[in-house]
Structure formats: structure tokens, C-alpha cells
Amino acid sequence: MRIASQRRKPRRLLITGAAVLLTVPVAVLVSSTPAVAGTTRFERPTSISYTDAKQPTVAFPVGTTDRVPVGTWASDEGKHTSRAYFTFDLTPYQGKDIIKAYGVTGESSVTDCAQPRKIEIWRTATPAQPPTWKTAPRVYERGGDVFNSPACPASYLELDLTETLRQAVADGQDSLTLMARIAGKHEKNKRLSRWITPLGISIESNAAPDVPSALTVAGLACADGRLIGTTVPVLSAQVTDPDKLDGFAGDQVTATFAWWPADRPTERTEWTSYSTYAPRRISYTVPEGGMVHGGTYAFSVRAADQHASSDWSPECRFTVDTVRPPAPTVTSTDYPAGWSQPGHGGPGIPGAFHLSAPGADDIAGYYYGESGPYTYVAADESGLATISHAPTRSHSNRLYVQAADHTGNRSAQTTYEFTVRDTAPRITDGNPDGAIGEPRELTFTPGMEDVVEYTYRLNDGDPATVPAGTDGTATVTVTPRKSGWNRVTVTSRTSGGLPSGEAQLQFYLATEPTVSSEQYPIGGGEGALVGTPGTFVFRPGMPGVTEYVWSVAGGPERTVAAEADGTASVTFTTTFGGFHWMEVYSRTADGTVSEAASAYFEATSWAPTIESADYPIYQQSGGPGVAGEFTFRPAHDGVTGYVYTFEGEEERTVTAGADGVATINWTPQSYPADRSGWVRLTVRATMGSIVSDGTEHAFVLNRLAPTVSSTDYPPTGGGGPNIPGQFTLTAQMPGTTEFVYRYNNEERTVAAGADGTATITLTPRYDGGHYLYVSSRAASGITSGEDYYYFYVHYQG
């Protein structure tokens, strides 16, 4: 029992449950504990069969999920004695260490659960064909007994097969056959027989990591004669492990780096990395002071997991060289150093530059470039190099150069400064004031000798080439159709094929229209009163305008056709005071669109003021049926009336007195429950045909809902289920003639008495909290807001 207890502990790590292991074709399980190396697989047998002593020459192969008998059992044909055979493929485990192996089976039926379980597992020779009782394979040794279980039948049984698997793999076997039987003398006892599910094996195995490969030093692959330019190089190696499974994390491995002076191998330094999942490139930095200039060193790497180590990798040798070469010297007859004018050559014209490092005996090449030393050229045996470099701009130029030795060490940077002649053509614009869509005649004049052609481009159009005249000039015509900035670029070429620098001509085409208005001055200033129609005149900023597209304050775009002279007029009426923003752009018949013009103007507000003592702004007062007086006062002379609207009602008008003041009376007809009692009054003044911007006056109505009282059912509780009670309703709204009440989802009405009250009788059907909803109504149809009365009904036990 002690052994069984010890062996069951790792089962929870390796096996997730019998139901999984006995139903899936092949289960691959990886240990969830990071420190554990190797992989765990659940292997199902490749062959399953049983034998029967009653039919000694017959084999009984079965499927991978069929149950098999062991022991002596009975059927209609008589008594049988059977043994089961399970063959497993061991080829995936050749060359690996077996860490743990557990056999797993289960009972599908048992003859007599009162009898002890006597299942044994034996290792046998692997038969070429399913065996019969008569041709049973040779038995080698007992693999173990199935651990006991209190369950019967037990769906999950296991036994330790670690040593059996280790021996089979150590013997180089490609397969393993295990026999299940009832132990010895008990095999003939029918009461001990059972039918079992196919045996499977959970195998945790491990292969040693691969020998580390792809060694590098200071970022360079190992090679004969390798030189590095640092005394603190980074050593690295690629570490892999054959136990890694696709889709799963593989083994955790470490890498041990060993390095030493090549001529003193006993002065060996070793460092072991942290654990990490393979595959992984692992690096180690040699500490300061460990290596010196001129020293030759070697290093090797070994990988290890929790159970095994690889061999050491082939060593990587290198020599440390930290001496930088001297700064290079640069000379050129095509582009001599200095700032003398007018300079030499020209943009795009290559010149020879000679690079050397006087006094240096180890020059591999040079790095150079116009914006930095990025391009490499190899040096000859004497350490010299000549490059061809074409400057990209005229006037001041620089070439940055560094020398490099065979180690890769770079020298300090040399800056070679020289002057490039300006060879760009000159551009003369024959129509500098031309508008968009108008042709411009451009004349190109050479900036260098022997020019035979020019290549030019307007904005992002296709380049065009024209020949130069005998005097070296050329004339072309361009028609710009792009608003805003335009650019013409041009280069020339000589008969010998030498290019010039690039010349540019930039010009701005202001195509946006202009906007003017007599009523609303553009750009600010006091405009007309709100509601005054304003005329806005659009004038073109380019030729051929056929229409304008305009909008105000981000509103919808509108289109107006242009007159023959390119102008157009539109009318717009403001509805609010303050600044307005108008945007306008024009279009030609061929679809050319101008830039947009933004015009700002101001409308003068003359919104009226509103006063009410009965319904003050932002306060709660009055209520349904309570009349209120509102006074409208003008903000400008000449007001003749007002247009007003109470939220939810139709618009109405009122005539102003001689002083421009008007007073109205308003009686709310109901409580606006959807707005929590809020009412918004909007008023606009009128003066002839124009209407001002609006003023809002918001206030809150009282509900004026009836009150409820009851001595039978006060809020604190009373009565009981099915006990009637009286409730008194008292009107709060003037003119109330009836009450509307809701109880238990039933709505009813009751007439109000002369004293404005009514009494109703309600019979609660259950104990607990109850709600009575009440409102009132006048003969004219005015309704109050609704409120509720809460009361509690006692439990009658």
C-alpha cells in the first residue's frame, strides 16, 4: 500500500483523468511545471488482441477502443480462459531517457466485486501476428500489478511501468508487448475475471539538448582568422532541444559558455545562463578586463536540461583588435577642396575622389557619403581607394569619410568640403500675373556650356523634353490649372550627356472668389437685424467661372449659376445674432475648382425679453389650470408684434402696443410628465415682414395632483388581505370635478364633491406594500399631474 500511495502522486501531473486517456486516439500532454524537462505522451497500443484457452489455435484481434477479457469467464459456448496482449511503438523513444511511465486501464465489467483484484502485467516478446493460446509469445518478466482501487468496476486503474520501459528502450527495442492476465493460480477462478479497456501508457521521456550551433562573437559568425574590435564581446549560440513539440512549449534549457586564451586553455572561465524554453539564441557578454588587445581567444558552448547535457560545441577562435585606423585623407582634382567660386563640375556630374590613410598598415576599405559615411568601398593592397561621386546640389558640399580595418574598426570621421558650380538653367516667366487656366510662356536660359536640350515638368505632371536653340535657349508654354502654389522644374543636358542642376519657378494662383454684402459687411462690423434678407455678391478669382457653391454656418451646400461676367448673387436670411461663417468656392465648365473663400459677417440680435411673476424663469410654480401672465418687451424700436410658442403647443401671435410691449395670459392644460414638468416658452419679435431671433423662457409646473389619506390603511400599515378600507382624495387643482385613480392595474374615476374631495373603498388582495396612483380632471378637460399614495397591508396569520 505504501508503494501504491507513492506512485499515485505524479499521476495527477501526468494524467488528466481516465475519461480523457481512454477515449481520445492519442493524447499528448506537456508538464505544466516549468522546472520539469522532457515531454509526456500518452501512447495507445498499435495492436490489441486476446487469446482463449477454449480455442487455442484462434487469435482474437480487437479494435483500439474495444474491451478485452482476462481470466476465466463463461459464455453460451462454455468456459473460457483469456489473456490480453497490447503492443506499443517505441521508435519515438530511441536514444531518450525514460523518466516516468504509467500504465492506465479500466474495468468495463467485473464478475464478482467481492473478490480481490488480481490483474498482472508481463513483458513478452513481440509477435509478428496476433497470438493464439497455443502460439503465445515468450514471457520475459513481470512488469507489475495494477494498483488497487476501492471502486468496482473501476474506470481508472494504473501501474508503474517505468523500469519496464527503460529496459526495453535500453535494449534498443522498436516495440513493446505487454500481456494482461489474472495472477497465477487465480487465473482459473471465474469469480476473479473481468473485462478491461485497452491498456495505454503515459510516458515522460527526455532527450539531451542538441549541441549548440551558429556560434557568433561580437555579432559576427565564427570563421578562420576572425577579428573583433572589442575587449567585451557578446558571445552567442543557438540552443535547440529535440523534445520541443509544435504548438507546445518545449524543454527549459540552459547554456554554459566557456572561454579561454587560445594558448592557455587551463585559464578557463565558465558561465551558465538562466533557464529558458528552446529553441532560443542565448548570449553572454565577456566582463570588462577579461580580454586584451592582441589576444587570441576561444569559446565553446554546451546546453543542458534538467536531466541531460549536450556535448560541447566546436570551439570558435578569434583575435581582439581594438586599435582604430587613422582618419583618412581625401583629394580630388575634379572637385578641389575649398569654397572658391564659382566652383567645379555641377550637380549630377560625377567626379573622382581619392581616399588614403597615410601611415596605416591595415586598411580594408572606406565608408563615405554625402549625408554620412554609409556606403562602403574596398581598398586595394596598398590601402588606397578611388570613388566616383556625383554631388546632388550646387554651391557648398561635404563628403564624410571613415577608414576601416579588417577587424571592422572605424577611424575618426574626415569631412571633405568643396564647392559645386551652379549649372541650373534660368527660367523667365512671360506672364507672371497670369491667372489659373491662362497660358504662360517660359524661356529657359542655360547655366552651363553646350546645352542641347531641356527637360521640364509642371507640378506632378509628366516630364517633357525640348531641344535648345543655337543660342542654348528654349521657349515652352504651360497652362496651370491648379489653385494655390504651382511649381515648374527644369534641368538641361549637354551634347556630351552631362546633366545640370535643377531650377525651379514657383508661383501662387489665388483662385478663391471674393464675397461682398451691403446688408452684412464682410469681415466684421455691425450687420443688419436678424431676419433681414441679405444679398451676397460673389466675384470670380479665376477665369471661366460658371457656378458657385456656398454654405453658411456649416449648413447644406447650395449651387448658383454665374452670370456672363462670372459674378453671382444669392440671398440669405439670418435667424440668430452674432457672427456667421460663409464658405464659397467656384467652378468652371471643365470642372476646375477654385480654392474656398471664407467670409465672416455679423447679424444684429433684437430678441425680445420675457417677464412673468406667475411663472418665473427656472422656478417651479403654478400648475395645470393655474393661469399665468407673460409680458414681452422689445429690444429694438418699431416692434409691431410677437410670435410665441409654449412647448408642445401650436405657434401663436400677439400684437404689440404702441410702446412695443405685449402681454398674454396662458393656462396650462396638463402636466408634461415626459418632461418632468418643464415648459419652454419661445418668443420672437416681428417688425413688418422680418422676424427676430428667439428668446427662451423655461420654467417648471407643479403637479397639483390630489392628496390621499386613509385611517384604515395609513402608510405605516394597517388592515390585511381582503379587508376593505376607505381612502379620501382631496383635490389640489382648481376646478377639479373628478378624480382618476389606478389600483392593481385598473383605472377608475370618481366624481369630486363640492368640497373637492371624494372617498373610495379598496380591498387589498395580498399583504405587503401597495401603490395607489391618483390625478384629477376639470370639466374643461384640464388634467393635473399624477402622484401616488403608498400604504402597507399587514399580514393576517
Side-chain angles (χ1 to χ4, degrees), residues 36-61:
V36 175
T39 56
T40 301
R41 296 176 183 266
F42 185 74
E43 298 288 356
R44 296 188 64 85
T46 58
S47 173
I48 305 172
S49 65
Y50 68 91
T51 61
D52 185 356
K54 184 176 179 61
Q55 303 178 70
T57 61
V58 178
F60 296 91

Side-chain angles (χ1 to χ4, degrees), residues 656-668:
D659 57 357
V661 178
T663 299
I664 66 166
N665 287 285
W666 175 74
T667 301

Side-chain angles (χ1 to χ4, degrees), residues 405-491:
D405 62 18
H406 289 86
T407 302
N409 296 314
R410 291 197 189 190
S411 70
Q413 179 175 280
T414 293
T415 302
Y416 182 75
E417 299 176 327
F418 56 100
T419 304
V420 177
R421 185 163 61 95
D422 183 6
T423 59
R426 281 39 172 183
I427 306 175
T428 302
D429 187 354
N431 185 16
D433 297 324
I436 189 170
E438 293 184 349
R440 290 173 178 250
E441 187 178 83
L442 306 179
T443 301
F444 303 146
T445 305
M448 57 194 303
E449 297 178 352
D450 196 23
V451 168
V452 294
E453 68 179 19
Y454 296 90
T455 299
Y456 69 97
R457 182 199 301 260
L458 172 61
N459 296 319
D460 296 324
D462 294 330
T465 300
V466 295
T470 55
D471 60 352
T473 66
T475 299
V476 299
T477 299
V478 297
T479 304
R481 300 187 181 279
K482 173 177 168 289
S483 60
W485 283 103
N486 286 254
R487 183 181 70 254
V488 174
T489 58
V490 61
T491 59

Side-chain angles (χ1 to χ4, degrees), residues 132-297:
T132 68
W133 187 271
K134 189 173 182 178
T135 62
R138 177 182 176 184
V139 177
Y140 290 129
E141 76 271 343
R142 183 170 166 181
D145 297 345
V146 172
F147 296 153
N148 209 348
S149 170
C152 185
S155 62
Y156 179 81
L157 297 169
E158 67 177 32
L159 75 156
D160 189 350
L161 293 174
T162 303
E163 292 305 321
T164 300
L165 265 292
R166 284 177 179 167
Q167 187 61 50
V169 171
D171 293 344
Q173 294 183 16
D174 291 338
S175 61
L176 170 68
T177 298
L178 297 176
M179 175 185 69
R181 59 168 292 172
I182 299 300
K185 63 182 181 180
H186 303 289
E187 190 173 34
K188 298 295 185 178
N189 188 343
K190 289 193 296 183
R191 297 172 65 190
L192 296 177
S193 68
R194 52 252 294 132
W195 288 73
I196 63 174
T197 55
L199 178 69
I201 309 177
S202 175
I203 305 174
E204 182 184 354
S205 64
N206 181 72
D210 301 315
V211 175
S213 61
L215 275 61
T216 67
V217 53
L220 304 171
C222 294
D224 293 340
R226 170 62 69 201
L227 298 172
I228 65 169
T230 176
T231 58
V232 287
V234 175
L235 314 180
S236 78
Q238 184 70 24
V239 178
T240 58
D241 189 291
D243 289 324
K244 185 178 188 308
L245 301 174
D246 291 341
F248 295 89
D251 270 0
Q252 281 198 331
V253 296
T254 61
T256 299
F257 288 77
W259 66 271
W260 59 91
D263 57 349
R264 302 188 302 280
T266 57
E267 298 179 15
R268 182 184 181 96
T269 299
E270 291 191 4
W271 174 85
T272 300
S273 72
Y274 55 85
S275 293
T276 184
Y277 288 106
R280 179 67 60 86
R281 175 164 288 278
I282 301 178
S283 300
Y284 161 68
T285 302
V286 176
E288 191 77 38
M291 296 182 179
V292 297
H293 168 72
T296 299
Y297 302 89

